[in-house]
Amino acid sequence: MALEWIPWTVAPSKAVGVSVVLLCVMHLWALWAFGSFAPAAKIVQGSEHVPLPSLAPHTVVGWGACNKHDRDQRFWGVVGRALTLNETRRADGFVWLGDAIYADDLGASGWRTSSPTSMAAKYTAFRQSLDYAQFRNQLLAEPSGVWDDHDMGADGASRSFELKSLTQQLYLDFLAVPKTSPRRRRDGVYHLHTVPFHNTSTALTTRFDFAVCFVLLDARFHRDDPKVPGADILGEEQWQWLWSVLVDPTDEVGEPRVARQRDLFSRCAFTAVANGIQVLSDEKPTENWGVYPGARERLLRTLALAGAQRFVLLSGDVHYADYLTVPHMAFGTDGIVEITSSGLTHSLADVGVTPEVFDLLNANPRRAGRFIGRSFGSIAVTDTTAVVSVHEVTTGAVVLQHAVNIDTVGNTLLQRDHRFGIDVVAAPSKRLFHAMDRLPFTVSHRVRLRIIDLLASGWCALFH
């Protein structure tokens, strides 16, 4: 089936450029007014989040991003306990959404690519490390995932990264992907990861073939320079794969068992479309699909044409947790939702960025909630509901949460703040980004990062 475009526009949010001096004044004022290490709070105040044990789910899958493998890894015990259903029922799996390790090295002049031998040693050391190995042993299946730039091997890595095919094999080794898997022969680490019903007593097993499906997109291997006309993220081969998986995943997962239709959304009780960087955000200096408007438009139209329902977008990268919503009639009453969790070992809160400063510098009209501390995510499925949660990494407490009613078409939020709603059907407003956009992307991106350096005590490595 050929793709036919439908009316679709995500109206870019506006950002007004200000000088470095003004940014610093705002930062110092916020530190004076609110304290330099105020608790990392979320925008949605007073919401009651449901802990996983109270949900009594039959399926739980963890997910996360941004793990500096040479830092303290004892938090994996917290992650494991948060995902464990009970004393006899282990979690169903874990999915990486980028930067499982930092394969490159940080020097005085910034990030530099390591040798393949060094990268392989880092992957092996982390996989075999005590805390992560114990966590893996608690799961019913090996972790899966997709990479971002640092575990690909270079800061800001894209299609021009010369070692990408070699590091792809290292990444698949880390995930214990069999040498005979078709994923070994693809240009990129994109794939469909399915989570079966390990609890066969649930009524959902008579309607769906899988409890959760992860459509994991590689936003690095084929990514163009955004200044190139018609710049793309996925590459045509991955676009064609995505369409075929959405409309009929038989080649990936076999014939339908109980589902009445062949498309992915009919076969999965809940679906997560995931990659390393944010899709719905236009805010800089973090990388996002907003820099590639044609690719983002194509992604959302592809999902709409494939009949996407009971799904969420997931992402990592930014070193804070985010809850973004965009209403659109093609996806039910609540439109599209993106949940971001990042990072496991470091976050903006670690360098003294307060929630108030964050909101001043990174305001987003699509944001319904945020948490700027260290975090990881989970997806819990009950007989009636799929719940996506973001957890604080040191306690496992739920700090953001989104729910989808499996019995109805479209998404249903546990909490929503309508103040952040925007009309995406109307004509798009003109982008009002920083004047730095006129510079080459690599230059402007670095300038923005240096501005954040000043605001975050000069720790650029923690922000990107």
Side-chain angles (χ1 to χ4, degrees), residues 31-55:
L31 293 182
W32 171 80
F34 302 106
S36 60
F37 291 92
K42 55 187 181 299
I43 287 178
V44 180
Q45 303 292 344
S47 301
E48 294 185 0
H49 301 110
V50 183
L52 297 193
S54 299
L55 293 171

Side-chain angles (χ1 to χ4, degrees), residues 359-389:
D359 294 339
L360 285 171
L361 300 180
N362 196 14
N364 191 332
R366 299 170 192 158
R367 180 170 292 127
R370 56 94 174 94
F371 177 77
I372 64 172
R374 296 160 55 203
S375 66
F376 65 94
S378 69
I379 296 177
V381 181
T382 73
D383 283 346
T384 60
T385 309
V387 179
V388 183
S389 303

Side-chain angles (χ1 to χ4, degrees), residues 11-33:
S13 58
K14 298 180 180 180
V16 179
V18 294
S19 68
V20 176
V21 174
L22 180 57
L23 287 173
C24 292
V25 170
M26 292 164 60
H27 177 61
L28 293 174
W29 171 80
L31 293 182
W32 171 80

